[in-house]
Amino acid sequence: MFILLKNAECYTPDYSGEKDILVVMDKIYLIEDRINESFLPGMQVIDCSGKIAMPGIIDQHVHLTGGGGEAGPASCIPELMLSELISGGISTVVGVLGMDGVARNIQGLLAKARALEIEGLNTFIYTGYYGVPVLTLTGRVMTDIAFIDKIIGAGEVAISDYRSSHPSIQQLKELSFEVLSGRMLGGKAGVLHIHVGDGKSGLQPLFDLYGESEFPIGMFVPTHINRSRTLFEQGMEYLKNGGNIDLTAGEKTGKGLSVQDGLKKLNDAGIGMDRVTVSSDGNGSMTGSGSSGETGKVSQLFNDIRTSILETKIPITTAIKTVTSNVAGILGMYPGKGCLAAGSDADILVVNREGFTLDKLLVRGQVLVDNGNPLVKGRFELRHQSPTS
Ligand code: ZN
């Protein structure tokens, strides 16, 4: 119930030096230069010398119930289990449906999110899938967002992709109206999360939507912006106009840009870094055809942030913000989540200073990962997964 993290180099995500962090129940109670260990009897004390403490990662794009399905039923990816998420340093996840709106639905996604929350994670979902009209729980996007706590937006709606329903600007306006009304009536941030494919129109539909309407630009989150260089250039333009952009982990520099190369370009340009985020697209199909048997890994997100810091020399604070406070701000979770502060949720990631490797993850004050290994597993996860055991 009481945990004291001692001598941690704190990135809140701004750098604040070496601190002690006192966790009481599910909240951060105090962050001070020194907190006396006798403050509370029976308190668990964890020495964090040589370690960094940062907010737990918020991954805003994960196919919790499995993506894929694009090469027939056998290509449907199984659902994601708790240990895989927490092993990637993720304390908060937003579940999303992809192209498959037939074998997967919002009910199943919501049930999965609730299950993971019971198992220890913070979870949210978007209503909808690739197509327009979207799939919903209550019959309308507006009421889904206004009345269902876990639903914090709509998506991933696909544009500029051969698998997209090719929504007209009018359809996107109508959908934006549903999201905006839902977010106002529900008192949430409420976003429209947009999958941008590698089709020839790129981000143009979003530029048109914004240009022809009065919707606040902050409600849109286009993702996969680093999948091609042309799209990335458009993304930079969109960022200059005040929009948010989300990069996807695991992309290699070639046709597109890796997260580290993308972040470097954006950081050098010095525009709107607080509106840049990165997500994993975890548990989706890697090839788009779903036939390779390869799935996106949620741990790739932490790996890409580490590479950005160690190899590309992106400032730690800048890199960390793209998966913590920036995401929390856009999704309306800040400052409860995405930062280390007295009163915030005790979602804390502890990383070894040397090599920036994952050590511990606390979610709502519970230590779920220690020494890089998950301490808990989902109810139906195999206890021994190695082939030799
Ligand atoms: Zn997508």
Side-chain angles (χ1 to χ4, degrees):
M1 292 219 305
F2 309 113
I3 299 174
L4 181 60
L5 301 171
K6 295 282 295 175
N7 313 315
E9 201 181 335
C10 282
Y11 285 85
T12 66
D14 286 315
Y15 181 70
S16 65
E18 206 174 280
K19 301 277 181 196
D20 293 351
I21 306 171
L22 177 61
V23 172
V24 175
M25 310 286 282
D26 58 348
K27 300 277 185 201
I28 295 174
Y29 184 74
L30 262 184
I31 303 183
E32 298 283 343
D33 288 345
R34 273 198 72 77
I35 299 171
N36 198 318
E37 288 164 53
S38 59
F39 188 81
L40 287 166
M43 182 161 61
Q44 184 187 353
V45 179
I46 299 172
D47 182 26
C48 293
S49 303
K51 297 175 202 287
I52 286 172
M54 59 175 272
I57 290 174
I58 305 171
D59 190 346
Q60 63 177 320
H61 187 128
V62 179
H63 295 276
L64 294 178
T65 47
E70 291 148 5
S75 68
C76 287
I77 297 166
E79 64 182 51
L80 199 57
M81 295 297 183
L82 177 72
S83 66
E84 201 171 325
L85 285 152
I86 56 178
S87 300
I90 295 161
S91 57
T92 301
V93 68
V94 186
V96 56
L97 294 183
M99 184 230 168
D100 182 0
V102 177
R104 316 296 162 93
N105 56 36
I106 305 298
Q107 287 88 336
L109 183 60
L110 180 59
K112 177 67 185 175
R114 293 181 68 194
L116 286 168
E117 179 106 20
I118 290 165
E119 291 176 343
L121 212 64
N122 303 301
T123 61
F124 298 92
I125 65 168
Y126 301 124
T127 190
Y129 77 124
Y130 267 23
V132 178
V134 299
L135 292 175
T136 66
L137 185 72
T138 63
R140 284 189 79 160
V141 168
M142 187 192 296
T143 46
D144 276 12
I145 297 174
F147 295 132
I148 312 294
D149 290 346
K150 283 210 175 299
I151 299 183
I152 56 165
E156 59 174 320
V157 166
I159 60 168
S160 306
D161 194 306
Y162 74 98
R163 299 162 296 175
S164 144
S165 63
H166 297 71
S168 65
I169 302 304
Q170 182 55 33
Q171 280 178 306
L172 289 174
K173 283 180 187 170
E174 285 161 14
L175 181 55
S176 304
F177 162 71
E178 290 283 319
V179 172
L180 184 78
S181 306
R183 81 187 216 152
M184 292 172 76
L185 298 169
K188 301 177 178 175
V191 297
L192 180 56
H193 191 79
I194 302 169
H195 159 109
V196 190
D198 52 11
K200 47 188 175 293
S201 54
L203 263 182
Q204 197 53 48
L206 198 49
F207 278 114
D208 292 347
L209 170 66
Y210 179 62
E212 290 178 22
S213 72
E214 306 297 330
F215 297 114
I217 198 165
M219 66 177 279
F220 305 109
V221 181
T223 187
H224 312 320
I225 296 303
N226 54 327
R227 76 185 320 151
S228 81
R229 283 166 185 276
T230 330
L231 182 58
F232 192 82
E233 291 303 320
Q234 282 185 311
M236 286 184 79
E237 198 53 43
Y238 187 71
L239 195 64
K240 277 184 202 152
N241 281 277
N244 308 308
I245 58 168
D246 186 52
L247 312 185
T248 302
E251 187 72 47
K252 293 184 178 63
T253 294
K255 184 174 159 242
L257 282 169
S258 64
V259 164
Q260 51 271 29
D261 288 351
L263 287 183
K264 177 154 179 34
K265 251 189 136 161
L266 294 166
N267 196 43
D268 289 350
I271 29 152
M273 277 311 280
D274 57 336
R275 285 177 276 110
V276 175
T277 56
V278 189
S279 61
S280 74
D281 198 8
N283 214 30
S285 65
M286 293 288 282
T287 56
S289 70
S291 55
S292 68
E294 218 186 322
T295 63
K297 296 277 175 270
V298 285
S299 56
Q300 190 64 46
L301 185 52
F302 179 79
N303 291 344
D304 279 6
I305 294 303
R306 178 176 52 211
T307 313
S308 303
I309 293 167
L310 295 185
E311 289 178 19
T312 324
K313 309 295 180 202
I314 305 289
I316 297 185
T317 298
T318 307
I320 287 176
K321 283 183 177 180
T322 63
V323 291
T324 59
S325 59
N326 291 358
V327 194
I330 291 164
L331 299 181
M333 299 171 186
Y334 194 86
K337 300 203 173 295
C339 71
L340 302 181
S344 297
D345 292 346
D347 300 337
I348 306 170
L349 186 58
V350 179
V351 175
N352 296 304
R353 190 83 180 78
E354 190 68 39
F356 206 81
T357 52
L358 211 142
D359 178 38
K360 293 177 189 15
L361 176 69
L362 279 75
V363 182
R364 301 197 300 269
Q366 300 291 316
V367 183
L368 301 186
V369 174
D370 192 20
N371 245 325
N373 298 313
L375 298 180
V376 290
K377 292 200 170 186
R379 182 175 299 199
F380 298 106
E381 287 190 69
L382 294 174
R383 296 286 150 177
H384 305 284
Q385 286 181 325
S386 86
T388 51
S389 58

